[in-house]
């Protein structure tokens, strides 16, 4: 049995792939360390890509809607920088509003709590006095504790030992913290500059990426890769836009409802819940906990009503707003959104929640396209509800074998009778 050159080439590639996988499994620890080291080097550029992706959403809105009529030579030179500055200003403005609204209120509440702590401690002491008078045994135990003597010499020696042995550790930790802060600042600056470069040259970079794909990959593979990248971009941008819109709607609902019910901190709680609602499904509960704590300081009963209001609005948001705004924006059913949030959160925390929903939406769209294409190749169209229609002309009631045989014999007899009649007519005409 002889193999063609193409078959030999395929076998060679499979052998090389198998050898590579075996080596990866054998040296998996070294491979993992190399991947971590590589990600550490590329982390500023990856963060810059994420920043550029987020800033590109408002920048496109400014270019295509706000400044769509600005054309000409001046637009070619100045339109992109102006839109970049506007997108940066909008993001910074949102962050400033959130911090300026939430942080002062939290600080004032913390100072109020600090002022109420002495009165709270006095009330605790009064309650303890009442308990000691009511239960004499407890008073005896407290008196025994008061009679205990503390060895201050051993305490001082332990403090000196800690200072002697821990000074070097403290110095090392201080140096490590300082170097970490400096490297973080440098990486942030590199990421920001890289993001600006991507935004200013995004069309050129996209064209270069397509040329690289067409140069090193077959035409079918390069076109499919480009299609998948476009799908990922649409899903991620739609998810971010839908998530921001859903957060604004939820925060507005809280501000209006808390104002109507005369609850304190309406604006601050609404802004905080809108900001934390950017985390899918579980983010609003963080804002609820902070808001309930702030209201609890003023009125515990009102804090209970706030929790009830939050649960009602959360049901409205989860059943009506979120599936329509975010679910429709990524084209993913609600059950798969919940699965993506659970898996992404368990693997990578909050960033995994934000990343896995559009990723699973893209996988869902690709799988749906593949299934529909395969069924169309088999000529199996699918109706609503997953039902497969019957072929045209097929009788829904299955005929028995005897009936099919009778129909065949009748058709054959009818054909023979027609043939004999036509032969008789031709014979009479010849005569």
């Amino acid at each position: 049995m002889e193999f063609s050159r193409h078959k030999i080439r395929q076998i060679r590639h499979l052998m090389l792939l198998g050898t590579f996988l075996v080596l990866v499994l054998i040296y998996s620890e070294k491979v993992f360390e190399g991947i971590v080291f590589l990600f550490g080097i590329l982390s500023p550029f990856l963060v810059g890509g994420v920043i550029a992706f987020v800033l590109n959403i408002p920048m496109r809105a400014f270019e295509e809607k706000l400044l769509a009529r600005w054309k000409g030579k001046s637009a070619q030179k100045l339109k992109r920088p102006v839109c970049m500055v506007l997108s940066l200003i909008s993001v910074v403005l949102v962050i400033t509003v959130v911090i300026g609204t939430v942080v002062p209120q939290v600080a004032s509440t913390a100072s109020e709590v600090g002022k109420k702590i002495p009165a709270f401690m006095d009330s605790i002491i009064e309650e303890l006095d009442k308990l000691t008078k009511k239960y004499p045994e407890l008073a005896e135990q407290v008196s025994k504790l008061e009679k205990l003597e503390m060895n201050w010499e051993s305490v001082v020696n332990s403090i000196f030992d800690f200072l002697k042995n821990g000074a070097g550790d403290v110095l090392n930790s201080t140096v490590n913290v300082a170097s970490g802060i400096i490297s973080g600042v440098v990486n942030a600056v590199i990421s920001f500059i890289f993001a600006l470069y991507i935004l200013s040259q995004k069309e050129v970079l996209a064209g270069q990426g397509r040329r690289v794909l067409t140069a090193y990959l077959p035409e079918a593979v390069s076109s499919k890769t480009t299609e998948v990248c476009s799908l990922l971009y649409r899903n991620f941008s739609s998810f971010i836009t839908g998530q921001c819109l859903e957060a604004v709607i939820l925060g507005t609902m809280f501000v209006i409802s808390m104002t109507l019910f005369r609850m304190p901190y309406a604006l601050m709680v609404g802004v905080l819940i809108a900001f934390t609602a950017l985390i899918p499904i579980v983010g609003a509960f963080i804002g609820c906990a902070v808001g309930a704590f702030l209201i609890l300081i003023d009125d515990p009963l009102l804090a209970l009503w706030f929790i009830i209001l939050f649960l009602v609005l959360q049901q409205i948001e989860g059943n009506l707003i979120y599936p329509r705004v975010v679910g429709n924006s990524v084209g993913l059913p609600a059950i798969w959104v919940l699965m993506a949030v659970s898996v992404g959160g368990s693997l990578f925390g909050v960033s995994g929640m934000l990343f896995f929903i559009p990723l699973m939406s893209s996988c869902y769209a690709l799988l749906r396209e593949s299934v529909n294409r395969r069924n169309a190749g088999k000529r199996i169209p699918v109706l609503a509800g997953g039902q497969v229609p019957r072929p045209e002309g097929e009788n829904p009631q299955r005929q028995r074998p005897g009936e099919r045989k009778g129909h065949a014999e009748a058709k054959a007899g009818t054909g023979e009778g027609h043939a004999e009649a036509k032969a008789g007519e031709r014979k009479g005409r010849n005569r």
Side-chain angles (χ1 to χ4, degrees):
M1 178 174 155
E2 297 181 357
F3 293 101
S4 61
R5 291 184 177 178
H6 180 67
K7 198 71 174 178
I8 294 174
R9 191 181 298 112
Q10 287 183 344
I11 294 172
R12 188 187 304 143
H13 290 167
L14 289 175
M15 291 176 65
L16 291 175
L17 179 61
T19 306
F20 176 74
L21 293 177
V22 170
L23 291 175
V24 168
L25 290 175
I26 293 174
Y27 300 100
S28 58
E29 185 177 355
K30 299 293 183 181
V31 171
F32 182 74
E33 292 177 358
I35 292 174
V36 172
F37 178 74
L38 184 63
F39 269 95
I41 295 175
L42 298 178
S43 59
F45 304 101
L46 295 176
V47 174
V50 173
I51 295 172
F53 186 88
V54 174
L55 291 177
N56 184 51
I57 297 174
M59 191 181 75
R60 283 190 61 188
F62 289 133
E63 287 181 348
E64 297 176 358
K65 296 180 180 180
L66 184 64
L67 302 177
R69 297 182 180 179
W70 186 14
K71 297 180 181 180
K73 294 182 179 179
S74 61
Q76 294 178 357
K77 296 180 179 179
L78 300 176
K79 189 175 182 180
R80 177 62 56 82
V82 169
C83 292
M84 287 173 60
V85 172
L86 290 176
S87 61
L88 285 172
I89 291 174
S90 62
V91 173
V92 172
L93 183 63
V94 170
I95 296 174
T96 304
V97 168
V98 173
I99 295 176
T101 306
V102 175
V103 172
Q105 194 65 54
V106 173
S108 62
T109 305
S111 64
E112 290 179 4
V113 171
K115 293 177 182 178
K116 293 180 180 179
I117 285 177
F120 180 70
M121 295 300 296
D122 293 337
S123 64
I124 290 177
I125 293 172
E126 291 178 1
E127 293 294 330
L128 289 176
D129 290 336
K130 292 179 181 178
L131 288 174
T132 53
K133 291 178 181 179
K134 189 175 181 180
Y135 301 101
E137 297 178 356
L138 183 62
E140 293 178 359
Q141 297 295 329
V142 172
S143 63
K144 289 180 181 179
L145 291 175
E146 291 178 352
K147 293 178 181 179
L148 291 176
E149 295 182 359
M150 183 175 291
N151 191 358
W152 292 103
E153 185 178 357
S154 62
V155 172
V156 172
N157 291 331
S158 62
I159 292 173
F160 276 113
D161 291 336
F162 173 77
L163 293 176
K164 186 187 300 182
N165 298 324
D169 297 334
V170 171
L171 181 62
N172 291 331
S173 62
T174 304
V175 172
N176 292 331
V177 169
S179 62
I181 293 174
I182 294 172
S183 63
V185 171
V186 172
N187 290 335
V189 172
I190 294 174
S191 301
F192 184 72
I193 294 173
F194 187 68
L196 295 181
Y197 176 77
I198 292 175
L199 290 175
S200 61
Q201 302 290 330
K202 61 178 184 177
E203 290 85 5
V204 177
L205 294 175
Q208 291 175 352
R210 294 191 190 95
R211 292 182 62 189
V212 170
L213 290 176
T214 54
Y216 291 99
L217 294 177
E219 183 178 358
V221 178
S222 62
S223 61
K224 189 64 179 178
T225 304
T226 305
E227 181 183 352
V228 171
C229 291
S230 301
L231 178 64
L232 288 171
Y233 172 76
R234 289 196 302 271
N235 285 334
F236 272 87
S237 59
S238 300
F239 170 73
I240 294 175
T241 305
Q243 196 73 25
C244 293
L245 180 60
E246 182 263 344
V248 170
I249 294 173
L250 184 62
T252 305
M253 290 170 57
F254 269 93
V255 172
I256 295 174
S257 59
M258 291 179 69
T259 304
L260 291 176
F261 290 108
R262 296 181 179 179
M263 292 183 178
Y265 313 121
L267 180 61
M268 189 273 294
V269 172
V271 172
L272 180 62
I273 290 178
F275 183 74
T276 55
L278 295 175
I279 304 172
I281 297 178
V282 298
F285 289 93
I286 302 174
C288 172
V290 177
F293 174 74
L294 296 177
I295 298 175
L296 181 66
I297 302 299
D298 291 342
D299 191 347
L301 182 61
L302 199 60
L304 179 62
W305 283 111
F306 169 75
I307 294 174
I308 295 173
L309 175 65
F310 172 80
L311 294 176
V312 172
L313 294 179
Q314 186 69 18
Q315 290 296 320
I316 296 173
E317 183 265 344
N319 295 322
L320 296 177
I321 299 174
Y322 193 87
R324 294 180 181 274
V325 175
V326 180
N328 291 341
S329 65
V330 297
L332 192 64
I335 183 64
W336 300 116
V337 172
L338 180 61
M339 180 179 177
V341 169
S342 301
V343 175
S346 60
L347 291 177
F348 303 105
V350 177
S351 59
M353 294 180 185
L354 298 173
F355 181 76
F356 264 65
I357 291 178
L359 181 63
M360 185 168 285
S361 173
S362 303
C363 296
Y364 180 82
L366 293 173
L367 179 61
R368 179 179 57 195
E369 180 185 355
S370 177
V371 169
N372 292 337
R373 185 173 62 251
R374 286 177 176 270
N375 287 334
K378 296 178 181 179
R379 297 181 180 179
I380 306 177
V382 179
L383 300 177
Q387 298 178 354
V388 179
R390 299 179 182 275
E392 296 182 359
E394 181 181 347
N395 192 353
Q397 296 180 352
R398 298 179 65 182
Q399 296 177 348
R400 298 177 181 177
E403 294 177 351
R404 290 197 297 268
K405 185 177 180 181
H407 283 297
E409 290 176 355
K411 289 180 180 180
T414 306
E416 291 175 0
H418 283 295
E420 291 176 357
K422 289 181 179 179
E425 290 177 359
R426 288 196 299 269
K427 189 175 180 182
R429 288 175 183 174
N430 291 333
R431 289 178 179 176

